[in-house]
Amino acid sequence: MAYILTSDNIKIQYSSRGEGTPIVFIHGFGGEGSSFRVIDKILSSSYNTIEVDLRGHGRSDTSSEISIDVFASDIKELIEKLGIKKPVLAGWSMGGAVVMEYIKQFGDKESSGLIFIETSPMVMAAREWRGTLLKGNYSREQFIKDLRVMELDWMSFAESFVREMSPKLDESSLKLAIERISGNRPEVMSSVWKSLMSKDYRSILPSIEIPVLVVNGSESTFYDPESGKDIASMMPNASFELIKDAGHLVVMEKPVELSSLIKKFIENNI
């Protein structure tokens, strides 16, 4: 992996393969760029695929200030420093919020398309929005409880989070996923979780004019699959796709199917 050095002297690790339309893949909470490893292998034969470890994740440095806002700024610096022109920004789970924050800060004119994978513009439960975490049931009380566990016993939270996210994984795969996420620092993860829970990007979606693909897994334990339709309907040039027999970990469970949808989206719209 290579890295860029941000304006506040933080190393952000990334990998870049292939040529063609650039796709910047942005991972979820506690994850890393390698979450897209199989998709990268499939798509890098046709496109320039870029995987990034967000600040405080994977092999990237961390800092005292860490939030969705900072992640978006780091993605902007990555794109500028690598000279990437008109990328497709693909965000999975929390990565989708990073993409929305990027659009909020910098607009959509310098991007050619967006891909939202198992994500939502608002994660904390609200009566008027069914697209929040845990299929609309993630309450403020649960958030406070989770934050307490996260800060006092990160290993316990990490295991319960992974098991909730991926009930279909076999035990060996679950163990590997738990080991990866548990390697993160609890103070970093709690700061990120607080930031994510405070966000509501619903108001910016109607202003996104570039092509957008919204993807959900039919068996997701995190998001109501139908909420993807709601998200797509809020944007003038968006389409929705449902991947059958896939959960929140669709990027790992169904990489061939997801790669096919991404390729079709780019071929038809970019």
Side-chain angles (χ1 to χ4, degrees):
M1 294 185 74
Y3 69 87
I4 64 158
L5 200 61
T6 65
S7 55
D8 60 341
N9 208 38
I10 298 295
K11 286 183 179 179
I12 301 296
Q13 300 282 342
Y14 73 92
S15 65
S16 177
R17 299 179 180 86
E19 298 180 355
T21 301
I23 312 171
V24 179
F25 289 103
I26 306 170
H27 62 76
F29 177 79
E32 54 188 53
S34 63
S35 302
F36 299 96
R37 182 182 292 113
V38 178
I39 292 174
D40 173 76
K41 288 180 179 178
I42 296 171
L43 293 179
S44 60
S45 62
S46 302
Y47 310 109
N48 175 208
T49 56
I50 300 102
E51 303 169 3
V52 58
D53 287 358
L54 294 172
R55 178 184 302 227
H57 293 72
R59 298 181 182 179
S60 290
D61 291 345
T62 190
S63 62
S64 58
E65 182 181 1
I66 192 162
S67 65
I68 303 299
D69 310 63
V70 173
F71 292 156
S73 296
D74 288 344
I75 295 299
K76 178 66 170 177
E77 288 204 54
L78 176 80
I79 290 171
E80 291 179 343
K81 289 180 182 293
L82 296 184
I84 299 171
K85 304 298 182 184
K86 288 285 189 175
V88 174
L89 303 179
W92 167 48
S93 194
M94 182 192 75
V98 176
V99 173
M100 293 178 205
E101 178 63 35
Y102 180 97
I103 297 301
K104 180 181 178 181
Q105 290 188 36
F106 309 110
D108 65 0
K109 303 304 181 186
E110 298 302 317
S111 303
S112 61
L114 308 177
I115 302 173
F116 295 133
I117 307 164
E118 271 288 311
T119 192
S120 174
M122 182 181 183
V123 180
M124 188 77 77
R127 290 181 180 178
E128 74 280 10
W129 179 248
R130 65 177 173 177
T132 56
L133 195 62
L134 297 184
K135 297 186 175 182
N137 296 312
Y138 193 74
S139 65
R140 181 166 182 79
E141 290 73 23
Q142 185 63 48
F143 160 66
I144 293 172
K145 179 182 177 181
D146 283 347
L147 198 63
R148 187 178 301 116
V149 175
M150 198 179 300
E151 293 173 341
L152 296 177
D153 187 357
W154 169 245
M155 285 292 292
S156 175
F157 177 86
E159 180 170 353
S160 63
F161 182 82
V162 171
R163 290 186 180 277
E164 178 73 25
M165 176 172 59
S166 49
K168 290 187 174 183
L169 283 184
D170 57 73
E171 278 301 315
S172 61
S173 297
L174 272 170
K175 183 178 179 181
L176 179 60
I178 291 168
E179 285 177 356
R180 284 179 176 175
I181 192 172
S182 62
N184 292 297
R185 293 166 56 181
E187 67 273 19
V188 170
M189 294 297 100
S190 63
S191 293
V192 174
W193 198 249
K194 289 176 186 176
S195 177
L196 179 62
M197 293 302 137
S198 71
K199 299 302 183 183
D200 181 356
Y201 295 109
R202 290 175 294 173
S203 63
I204 74 162
L205 295 183
S207 68
I208 299 175
E209 298 180 348
I210 57 177
V212 180
L213 172 64
V214 180
V215 181
N216 279 77
S218 67
E219 305 303 315
S220 176
T221 55
F222 273 24
Y223 293 110
D224 181 342
E226 294 298 307
S227 68
K229 291 182 180 178
D230 297 340
I231 296 170
S233 70
M234 297 173 73
M235 294 172 282
N237 194 14
S239 60
F240 170 70
E241 295 286 351
L242 186 68
I243 297 182
K244 293 182 179 180
D245 301 319
H248 187 66
L249 280 179
V250 60
V251 298
M252 301 174 195
E253 295 171 351
K254 298 288 183 177
V256 174
E257 291 86 342
L258 180 54
S259 296
S260 178
L261 288 178
I262 293 173
K263 190 170 185 179
K264 180 181 177 182
F265 169 71
I266 293 176
E267 288 177 348
N268 292 341
N269 296 280
I270 309 302

